[in-house]
Amino acid sequence: MNQMLQDEKISLIIPPWGGQLLIEILDLIDYENIKTKWLLGYSDTSVLLLALTLKTGIATAHGTNLVDLRGEYSDPTTAQWESVLSTKEGSSVIQYSSQHYQKEWNHDQPSPTVFHLTEPTIWKTAGNHDVKINGRLLGGCIDVIRHLIGTPYGNIADFREKHIKNEPILWYFENCELNTADLRRSLVQMKLAGWFDHSSGILFGRSAGNTPVGDYTIEDVYQELSDELQIPIVYDIDCGHQPPQVTLINGAHGEVEVSGGKGKVIQSFK
């Protein structure tokens, strides 16, 4: 991995999928000698993406894994990863919410596009308001990136000061397996650790997790967080384990608009 990260001839690394113990390699990466290149993926891969961006200021790409590109063709939302990663410094790229998403994986029923996109996509907001927010994008799979808190690889204040000149952060998260109480505990820990200081909003991806604990629902979690932080919360966006996904760039300036269940993401590389 270090050889690939330091090889100037390699411009893109796409792992096939995440690895549940990827966090074990964080202190083995030679961050000082990484050559600028794209690293693309999601799920457990996102713990490396976020750590790399926070440590070095190099942008990383949260989006499709390589294994999800093995179909005969890709859906329009997934396919935009190439357009996003081809965007030049100083330019912008626009992505829109998908038309349909995949509710569950059907590996025994192969599809030419890998995914089975059957459910209507609806981007939602806490309070059901239209939302327009902007900030520097950071995030990943909350199951794993929460473990960066308190480590040398999760220093948000240092990243904000060194690399984005105290611009607000626009967070995005996706939940793989946490129930509502565990998700809430993780978000409170992030808040107490200062991760949400100077934040403009939070985006949450769709999830087959988010299991209620008693009558404590995921909508309760989102509304409480919005009330506490006094920032917009957008949820069920195209991000995470219920594909397709927009490609979100850690470190890019993002503008997000949500209205009538539809969403638009503008990312500027500046």
Side-chain angles (χ1 to χ4, degrees), residues 66-182:
L66 183 62
V67 71
D68 296 329
L69 298 175
R70 70 190 188 280
E72 297 174 24
Y73 58 94
S74 293
D75 64 275
T77 304
T78 302
Q80 272 209 276
W81 73 269
E82 291 189 77
S83 298
V84 175
L85 269 55
S86 298
T87 302
K88 303 299 184 182
E89 183 177 354
S91 298
S92 300
V93 60
I94 301 176
Q95 297 172 91
Y96 296 93
S97 54
S98 66
Q99 294 297 314
H100 295 87
Y101 73 93
Q102 174 177 282
K103 186 175 182 179
E104 57 189 17
W105 295 92
N106 295 311
H107 296 295
D108 58 338
Q109 299 175 23
S111 162
T113 58
V114 179
F115 306 135
H116 297 81
L117 307 176
T118 60
E119 311 300 312
T121 296
I122 303 174
W123 287 23
K124 305 169 185 175
T125 65
N128 296 315
H129 306 299
D130 289 353
V131 163
K132 186 174 182 178
I133 45 179
N134 65 84
R136 291 284 177 171
L137 288 161
L138 285 179
C141 179
I142 199 165
D143 305 50
V144 291
I145 67 170
R146 59 180 176 166
H147 297 300
L148 296 179
I149 295 171
T151 75
Y153 310 101
N155 194 332
I156 303 299
D158 184 68
F159 173 80
R160 188 187 300 113
E161 181 181 345
K162 286 183 178 178
H163 299 295
I164 61 173
K165 310 305 180 188
N166 292 310
E167 289 182 59
I169 294 173
L170 176 52
W171 287 99
Y172 66 89
F173 299 123
E174 62 104 353
N175 172 22
C176 180
E177 297 176 333
L178 307 184
N179 65 33
T180 54
D182 200 359

Side-chain angles (χ1 to χ4, degrees), residues 1-13 29-39 58:
M1 185 66 177
N2 277 322
Q3 289 179 337
M4 289 191 289
L5 289 170
Q6 295 171 30
D7 190 337
E8 293 182 342
K9 297 178 181 178
I10 296 175
S11 59
L12 170 66
I13 300 172
I29 298 294
D30 183 359
Y31 298 93
E32 302 262 329
N33 293 303
I34 294 174
K35 301 297 188 292
T36 302
K37 63 183 78 257
W38 284 118
L39 186 59
I58 295 173

